[in-house]
Amino acid sequence: MSNPKVPHRLQYENSPIDAVDSRILAALDADSRLSMSELARLVGMSAPAVSERVRRLEAGGVIRGFTLDVDARALGYQIRALVRIRPLPGKLHVVEKLIQDTPQFIECDKITGDDPFLARLVVHSIEEMDDVLEALSDYAVTSTAVIKGTSVARRLPPL
Amino acid sequence: MSNPKVPHRLQYENSPIDAVDSRILAALDADSRLSMSELARLVGMSAPAVSERVRRLEAGGVIRGFTLDVDARALGYQIRALVRIRPLPGKLHVVEKLIQDTPQFIECDKITGDDPFLARLVVHSIEEMDDVLEALSDYAVTSTAVIKGTSVARRLPPL
DNA sequence: GTTGAAAATAGCACGAA
DNA sequence: TTCGTGCTATTTTCAAC
């Protein structure tokens, strides 16, 4: 079970993070550009100490990276949609590559069930959406649900 | 159309970002903790100039925030799933609140179609998944697809 | 984890294109 | 306007404890 070449379990799974790490994660999730000194003030520790904790959270795989929250709408992508994609028989890999090569798909998960892929799409217009889906139509059946709003904005898993 | 109280269009929609802004966004998306001086070196400008551009991208709504990419699996959430949720008649708002109050739902969009909500769920085990879905069962019908993998990791819209 | 010193950085004013 | 330079305050990093 514990084949070291196949780490199905990552470091922190068995040594749960403590309260300080939780506060660090929450603070950095809200603003990943916080200075280590400011973060240190927030959690009541010295800067080198929190800096070392952040480093360990990265090394342990908890923090996969520091990233950006970009508003697609502000870039003119006025329509967001979630697209379920069911490749025709034998077309699974072709379809996956096509999704990956279509930059308007900004995210795609492989899932169980009738439709192997669920992808997040951003487009400027209905016409652009039609172009993207049309390009898939020879290889897959798609079901598109336009996003009307957000009930839960991306948030951390419970810590 | 241009009711200032309802800014359906944000700043950058009509004045597209230039090549330098694109490189700034790509670099910060890869590592939002880059120092302004390092970022300046990457794009070949002075630090104050780059700093001002980042400030404008924030003010213009393109950059909504600087955030963290946390690996739920490293925290012990070994199962991720996408859940379509269809509230029973009259239960829409109850269900939405229930989703929001269930921290294992780390994201939820309101969408068109038969199922008004599509939520992303993280749980430690099948038992925990059952607990969460069971709590919804008096108010909604759910369809759950377990995530087997990722074809496209979250990426920026085409710039 | 803490402290303290050296190097790097950020933020600001100001002038130039 | 937007960018570059130079100054100062802050921050990061490393050492020693």
Side-chain angles (χ1 to χ4, degrees):
Chain A
M1 159 112 202
S2 283
N3 180 345
K5 289 188 182 174
V6 185
H8 286 258
R9 297 171 170 271
L10 294 179
Q11 183 168 333
Y12 276 85
E13 277 188 59
N14 299 319
S15 55
I17 63 176
D18 66 14
V20 175
D21 284 339
S22 296
R23 293 174 66 190
I24 288 175
L25 288 175
L28 286 178
D29 185 60
D31 180 7
S32 63
R33 284 190 67 83
L34 277 178
S35 70
M36 289 301 130
S37 34
E38 204 165 339
L39 194 51
R41 270 176 236 126
L42 288 174
V43 305
M45 272 197 179
S46 69
V50 294
S51 194
E52 174 63 14
R53 276 173 177 265
V54 171
R55 200 197 58 73
R56 266 189 295 222
L57 287 167
E58 288 188 71
V62 174
I63 295 179
R64 205 179 347 229
F66 302 92
T67 180
L68 218 52
D69 185 3
V70 167
D71 185 354
R73 184 167 298 185
L75 293 172
Y77 294 95
Q78 298 185 20
I79 303 175
R80 290 176 301 154
L82 293 168
V83 186
R84 299 206 307 270
I85 300 165
R86 185 188 312 193
L88 302 181
K91 300 298 184 187
L92 190 86
H93 295 294
V94 177
V95 167
E96 182 168 21
K97 175 135 181 47
L98 202 45
I99 295 168
Q100 290 166 339
D101 291 345
T102 304
Q104 288 95 336
F105 286 121
I106 60 172
E107 193 177 9
C108 180
D109 290 305
K110 299 198 283 188
I111 60 178
T112 62
D114 290 337
D115 304 309
F117 300 106
L118 196 145
R120 187 176 296 263
L121 178 68
V122 296
V123 288
H124 295 86
S125 62
I126 296 288
E127 289 73 23
E128 185 180 0
M129 178 185 285
D130 191 50
D131 291 343
V132 170
L133 297 178
E134 186 85 19
L136 281 172
S137 63
D138 285 344
Y139 312 103
V141 174
T142 61
S143 304
T144 303
V146 173
I147 297 176
K148 297 182 296 179
T150 302
S151 289
V152 177
R154 195 161 51 80
R155 60 183 174 191
L156 289 179
L159 303 172
Chain B
M1 159 103 205
S2 282
N3 179 346
K5 289 187 181 174
V6 185
H8 286 258
R9 297 170 169 270
L10 293 179
Q11 184 169 332
Y12 277 84
E13 276 187 59
N14 299 321
S15 55
I17 63 176
D18 64 15
V20 175
D21 285 340
S22 295
R23 294 174 64 190
I24 288 175
L25 287 175
L28 285 178
D29 185 59
D31 180 7
S32 63
R33 285 191 64 83
L34 278 178
S35 70
M36 287 303 128
S37 32
E38 206 166 340
L39 193 53
R41 282 190 282 273
L42 289 173
V43 305
M45 283 215 288
S46 71
V50 172
S51 195
E52 174 63 14
R53 275 172 177 265
V54 171
R55 201 198 56 73
R56 275 199 298 259
L57 287 166
E58 288 186 70
V62 173
I63 295 179
R64 205 182 343 234
F66 302 91
T67 180
L68 219 51
D69 184 4
V70 167
D71 185 354
R73 183 167 300 184
L75 293 172
Y77 294 96
Q78 298 184 21
I79 303 175
R80 290 175 302 153
L82 293 168
V83 186
R84 300 207 306 271
I85 300 165
R86 184 188 313 192
L88 302 181
K91 300 297 185 188
L92 190 86
H93 294 294
V94 178
V95 167
E96 181 167 22
K97 175 137 182 47
L98 203 46
I99 295 167
Q100 291 167 339
D101 291 346
T102 304
Q104 289 96 335
F105 287 120
I106 61 173
E107 193 178 8
C108 179
D109 290 305
K110 299 198 284 188
I111 60 178
T112 61
D114 290 337
D115 305 310
F117 299 106
L118 196 145
R120 186 176 296 264
L121 178 68
V122 296
V123 288
H124 296 87
S125 62
I126 296 288
E127 289 71 24
E128 185 181 359
M129 179 185 286
D130 190 50
D131 290 343
V132 169
L133 297 178
E134 186 85 21
L136 280 171
S137 63
D138 284 344
Y139 312 103
V141 174
T142 61
S143 304
T144 303
V146 173
I147 296 176
K148 298 181 295 180
T150 302
S151 289
V152 177
R154 196 161 51 81
R155 61 184 174 192
L156 290 178
L159 303 172

